[in-house]
Amino acid sequence: MTHEHARAAILSVGDEIVLGQSLNTNSRWLSDRLVRAGVSVRAHTTVPDDLQLQAEALRSLALEHDLVVCTGGLGPTADDLTRGALARAMDDELVEDTIALAQVQTMLEARGRALTPHHRAQAMRPARAHTIPNLLGTAPGLWGTLHVRSTAGERVCDVACLPGPPREMMTMFESHVLARLRPPSGRTVRTRVLHTFGLAESDVAIRLGELMERKSSLLVGTTASGGVVSVRLRYEGPEPPAAADVQLDELERRVREGVGEYLFGRESQTLEECVLALLRARRESVGCVESCTGGALCEVLTRVPGSSASVLGALVTYSNELKNKLAGVDASLLVENGPGAVSAECASAMALGGLEGLGVAHCLAITGIAGPDGARPGKPVGTVFIARASRGATPPDVEVRRFQFTAEREHVRDWSCRSALAMLWQHLSGLPPMKLLREQP
Ligand code: ATP
Ligand code: MG
């Protein structure tokens, strides 16, 4: 019997999730993949490692959904109860699956380990369920069907049980679950994401205006994280994919009209990736001189594969002595009555010193007060000066901006890095300097 997967739910299993000891990243990833496959996700449920609660959750989700994707609890230890819970929900016996047992054995042999009764339990499945091969670990997945009686009569709901460890879960989903999905025919879901930096989420909403009203099959929403405001575009409706894309093209054009100059990338692109792509296209290099970020800006840049094509390195000048010795900041700027280490003058001297000393085409310099100590009159915690210096003109082109971030250390460091990247991004994109979020006049 086949039915469409019009409504799906995700069931996460694990004490560590309900107790707040680990973050449920599996449901986020699964939701994204299911929605992109055209299967609409209507609920996320989490239960502890408890056989009865898990079996009850499966049956109650089956009343309202056509598919439940369950993660966790498939391993060999006593707290891994998913096989038993599915069997109870299906009202089925647990039987040993010979093929799965052979796979568990092969996987263990490859790791030079012997089969224990615990491992053997992983090859058990409800009699009417199938196992799903695990390409990365020993625990096979399960695929079963629940039959439940609701007020509307008998319903069927498919259940996929995947391992908890994210890599195993993702691989099993891609290799064996995706092909079993039956998104409703005649319904298309297409999504796009555009990323902006420099605007508050509420400003983005104002600029998008009526586009954000949820009334047609075209939906626009925003999410904010670390200063990046992402605009999510979604088509969900009866048109075939090509026609949906035409509608999304038009919607994207209008979104770009609204936030255009602040838009830096799309889909999985990050600000650092976009900056590095612009640098690579121009065959230009970048370096950093960092005080309050302690090297974090260079770390963010070098996390991107291929960054060595453009990133030459960084000077971490946390002390005044090293600002002078390594970055050539004039000692007169750093004395008691001078502008001080947290000043526009110092940031600009650091950027120019790095341009020269590191031999780069562009240098980003950051100096500020990350806190909790160090506030001065007129310079509260969260005050940061960021400078960008670029070769090409004589003297080199330097730009300094002052920011006032929220007075929380991690936040100051994080936003400093991204604001520095945004300044370089604006420069490389040939845009006039636009005021960034938290920038002071
Ligand atoms: P194992 O064979 O490793 O025991 P399992 O299928 O039994 O796998 P769990 O024991 O429930 O899975 O979880 C194993 C680990 O997987 C957890 O400690 C956690 O690190 C990770 N994990 C489990 N569920 C999630 C989740 N929803 N999101 C992110 N990570 C998870
Ligand atoms: Mg486990």
Side-chain angles (χ1 to χ4, degrees), residues 73-77 79-80:
L74 285 177
T77 57
D79 61 356
D80 292 321

Short mmCIF file of all heavy atoms in Angstrom, two decimals, residues 73-77 79-80, ligand 2:
data_model
loop_
_atom_site.label_atom_id
_atom_site.label_comp_id
_atom_site.label_asym_id
_atom_site.label_seq_id
_atom_site.Cartn_x
_atom_site.Cartn_y
_atom_site.Cartn_z
N GLY A 73 18.87 6.48 19.28
CA GLY A 73 18.43 5.28 19.98
C GLY A 73 18.56 3.98 19.22
O GLY A 73 17.90 3.00 19.57
N LEU A 74 19.40 3.95 18.19
CA LEU A 74 19.56 2.71 17.43
C LEU A 74 20.81 1.94 17.82
O LEU A 74 21.06 0.86 17.31
CB LEU A 74 19.61 3.02 15.93
CG LEU A 74 18.30 3.38 15.24
CD1 LEU A 74 18.57 3.73 13.78
CD2 LEU A 74 17.31 2.24 15.33
N GLY A 75 21.61 2.51 18.70
CA GLY A 75 22.91 1.92 19.03
C GLY A 75 22.81 0.67 19.87
O GLY A 75 21.73 0.15 20.12
N PRO A 76 23.98 0.17 20.32
CA PRO A 76 24.04 -1.12 21.01
C PRO A 76 23.84 -1.06 22.52
O PRO A 76 23.86 -2.09 23.17
CB PRO A 76 25.46 -1.61 20.70
CG PRO A 76 26.25 -0.36 20.56
CD PRO A 76 25.32 0.72 20.07
N THR A 77 23.67 0.13 23.10
CA THR A 77 23.63 0.19 24.56
C THR A 77 22.20 0.10 25.10
O THR A 77 21.23 0.22 24.36
CB THR A 77 24.30 1.49 25.07
OG1 THR A 77 23.63 2.59 24.49
CG2 THR A 77 25.77 1.52 24.71
N ASP A 79 20.39 2.05 26.70
CA ASP A 79 19.49 3.19 26.55
C ASP A 79 19.05 3.38 25.10
O ASP A 79 18.40 4.37 24.77
CB ASP A 79 20.16 4.47 27.09
CG ASP A 79 21.43 4.83 26.35
OD1 ASP A 79 21.84 4.05 25.46
OD2 ASP A 79 22.01 5.89 26.65
N ASP A 80 19.43 2.47 24.22
CA ASP A 80 19.02 2.60 22.82
C ASP A 80 17.80 1.73 22.58
O ASP A 80 17.90 0.50 22.48
CB ASP A 80 20.19 2.22 21.91
CG ASP A 80 21.31 3.25 21.99
OD1 ASP A 80 20.98 4.45 22.07
OD2 ASP A 80 22.48 2.86 21.98
MG MG B 2 23.15 5.36 21.44
#
